[in-house]
């Protein structure tokens, strides 16, 4: 039931965003970005909801495949592979995001936007460092 509601909410946000994009003549401030945010969120929420609905229907039709999928989700080898892939992606993200910050700073974008990017970058680094120390104490 929750997935059907999410799908409907996603379609509603998408349709509302498109409506406001087409009808607002000269958007100022937040109204310039809000319809596009609604379209993006609508697409994400709709995609999540419809994906879960399709997965539920597939699980009902093939119970043996559902059991195999559950085993694959909890398999230690698959978890190790997923964690290693996340670690590699994080390592790449740190350098790419740093280069992007540097290029934005050299382009002279608005200071507030640049500071938001820097704050987000530092938040990710601090979060990683915290968990590195936490997991190091556990081991």
């Amino acid at each position: 039931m929750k997935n059907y509601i999410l799908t409907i909410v996603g379609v509603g946000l998408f349709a509302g965003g498109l409506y406001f994009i087409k009808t607002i003549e000269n958007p100022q401030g937040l109204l310039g970005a809000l319809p596009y945010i609604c379209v993006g969120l609508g697409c994400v929420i709709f995609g999540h909801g419809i994906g879960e609905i399709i997965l539920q229907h597939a699980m009902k039709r093939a119970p043996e495949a559902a059991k195999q999928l559950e085993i694959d989700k909890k398999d230690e080898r698959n978890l190790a592979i997923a964690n290693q892939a996340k670690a590699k992606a994080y390592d790449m993200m740190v350098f790419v995001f740093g280069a992007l910050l540097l290029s934005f700073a050299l382009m002279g974008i608005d200071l507030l936007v640049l500071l938001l990017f820097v704050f987000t970058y530092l938040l990710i680094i601090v979060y990683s460092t915290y968990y590195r120390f936490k997991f190091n104490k556990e081991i």
Side-chain angles (χ1 to χ4, degrees):
M1 185 64 179
K2 177 183 81 166
N3 295 322
Y4 290 102
I5 293 172
L6 278 177
T7 305
I8 293 168
V9 167
V11 169
L13 276 171
F14 179 76
L18 282 181
Y19 173 76
F20 287 123
I21 288 171
K22 296 292 183 186
T23 58
I24 296 178
E25 291 290 325
N26 190 12
Q28 299 292 326
L30 185 62
L31 275 178
L34 189 61
Y36 297 100
I37 292 171
C38 288
V39 167
L41 282 175
C43 288
V44 169
I45 293 170
F46 172 76
H48 176 73
I50 201 74
E52 289 296 320
I53 290 170
I54 291 170
L55 185 64
Q56 285 175 355
H57 285 292
M59 296 286 199
K60 287 179 185 174
R61 293 187 188 264
E64 64 278 349
K67 284 182 184 178
Q68 185 62 38
L69 183 63
E70 194 65 31
I71 290 170
D72 288 344
K73 278 185 183 178
K74 294 181 181 177
D75 184 27
E76 289 181 22
R77 181 175 164 267
N78 290 339
L79 290 174
I81 290 170
N83 286 336
Q84 191 174 13
K86 287 179 195 175
K88 290 290 185 186
Y90 170 77
D91 289 341
M92 186 180 83
M93 183 211 60
V94 168
F95 292 112
V96 170
F97 200 44
L100 185 66
L101 275 173
L102 182 63
S103 66
F104 280 167
L106 293 175
M107 283 191 293
I109 66 167
D110 188 28
L111 183 62
L112 181 62
V113 174
L114 186 64
L115 288 177
L116 284 172
F117 281 136
V118 169
F119 175 74
T120 304
Y121 181 74
L122 290 177
L123 182 69
I124 292 168
I125 300 298
V126 168
Y127 187 78
S128 170
T129 306
Y130 169 76
Y131 275 104
R132 183 178 299 262
F133 283 125
K134 180 182 176 186
F135 292 148
N136 200 15
K137 285 181 183 178
E138 289 177 3
I139 294 177

